[in-house]
Amino acid sequence: MARKKEYNEEEVIEKAMKLFWRNGYEATSMQMLEKEMGINKFSIYSSFGNKNGLFLECLKYYNKKISTIFETFKSGTNGIEDIKQFFYDSVSLDFKDDYIKGCLVTNTYNEFYQKEDIVINKQMNSFMNNLKSIIIEKLEMDGTKDTETITKQANYLLLAKHGLAAAARVNSKKEIEDYIEMTFNNL
């Protein structure tokens, strides 16, 4: 007979997610996870298979948490202003929790881009492709731009979003706001 879990799975996933977010995947040890999550290795392995399985659950949980921001972004009707608001929304969470800054997906994308983890790379590529397609949709709302300009601006904004995520780890709120404003002044 299987033992009943003596912990709330969502709570331990959130704790693990924050630890991965702060340290990255490679720098997070099982011992660190045990301590942060408040459960033992056996429970981690039993519930998630291994560190990689736990990390995948953390990515799913993170995507669920940011889905509201993405839905607001997708459903907006103000083109470039929607993109700018998305930039602000994507870092607004960071300033509520001082020890976690940046974007977990961008951090993961940067850490895994040369690794051969097919599942994580597939998730990261899917996220980035989805983000770029939404950016393109928003840029297309301006009927004066040709396809080449839209593609160049979408690439620029995707890279600017990566830069924003990295900057949010170390820069002040004012510096981040200035970065966003200057990014959109250049369009």
Side-chain angles (χ1 to χ4, degrees):
M1 180 180 230
R3 287 179 33 174
K4 183 179 182 284
K5 292 180 184 176
E6 296 182 15
Y7 56 88
N8 178 303
E9 194 166 278
E10 190 170 294
E11 286 177 12
V12 298
I13 290 171
E14 182 161 0
K15 289 176 181 179
M17 176 194 72
K18 288 180 177 182
L19 187 63
F20 283 126
W21 199 345
R22 281 193 306 270
N23 300 323
Y25 178 82
E26 290 296 329
T28 301
S29 69
M30 287 302 290
Q31 290 78 17
M32 293 165 74
L33 287 164
E34 277 184 287
K35 182 179 177 187
E36 187 74 21
M37 295 167 74
I39 61 176
N40 61 36
K41 281 183 197 176
F42 176 79
S43 294
I44 294 171
Y45 287 122
S46 175
S47 294
F48 307 104
N50 56 26
K51 178 180 162 182
N52 191 271
L54 173 59
F55 187 66
L56 289 170
E57 287 302 313
C58 291
L59 288 174
K60 286 180 197 171
Y61 182 76
Y62 179 81
N63 284 327
K64 185 173 115 181
K65 284 184 70 93
I66 65 167
S67 66
T68 304
I69 293 170
F70 254 89
E71 287 307 313
T72 300
F73 181 36
K74 284 170 59 173
S75 64
T77 58
N78 296 318
I80 291 175
E81 282 302 312
D82 292 333
I83 303 169
K84 184 177 180 180
Q85 187 60 51
F86 172 73
F87 274 48
Y88 275 108
D89 291 346
S90 69
V91 293
S92 68
L93 296 172
D94 299 332
F95 294 114
K96 292 177 186 166
D97 205 350
D98 277 345
Y99 67 92
I100 297 175
K101 292 191 173 188
C103 169
L104 178 61
V105 172
T106 300
N107 297 349
T108 301
Y109 189 77
N110 291 337
E111 186 173 359
F112 278 84
Y113 82 98
Q114 287 188 327
K115 294 188 174 133
E116 294 185 19
D117 190 308
I118 295 167
V119 176
I120 290 175
N121 283 328
K122 183 177 178 183
Q123 281 192 6
M124 295 302 97
N125 289 330
S126 173
F127 180 88
M128 294 304 168
N129 290 336
N130 183 41
L131 178 56
K132 186 174 180 179
S133 71
I134 297 169
I135 290 171
I136 288 170
E137 287 174 21
K138 300 301 175 184
L139 291 171
E140 287 173 339
M141 290 180 176
D142 177 352
T144 65
K145 297 178 190 232
D146 61 34
T147 303
E148 183 180 353
T149 300
I150 289 171
T151 301
K152 285 180 180 181
Q153 287 184 342
N155 290 336
Y156 170 76
L157 289 167
L158 192 61
L159 293 175
K161 179 64 179 87
H162 286 310
L164 176 64
R169 292 180 65 88
V170 295
N171 293 83
S172 72
K173 184 175 182 179
K174 174 71 170 122
E175 291 167 332
I176 296 299
E177 290 170 350
D178 289 347
Y179 175 86
I180 293 171
E181 291 301 321
M182 290 307 298
T183 297
F184 287 89
N185 284 344
N186 290 324
L187 288 181

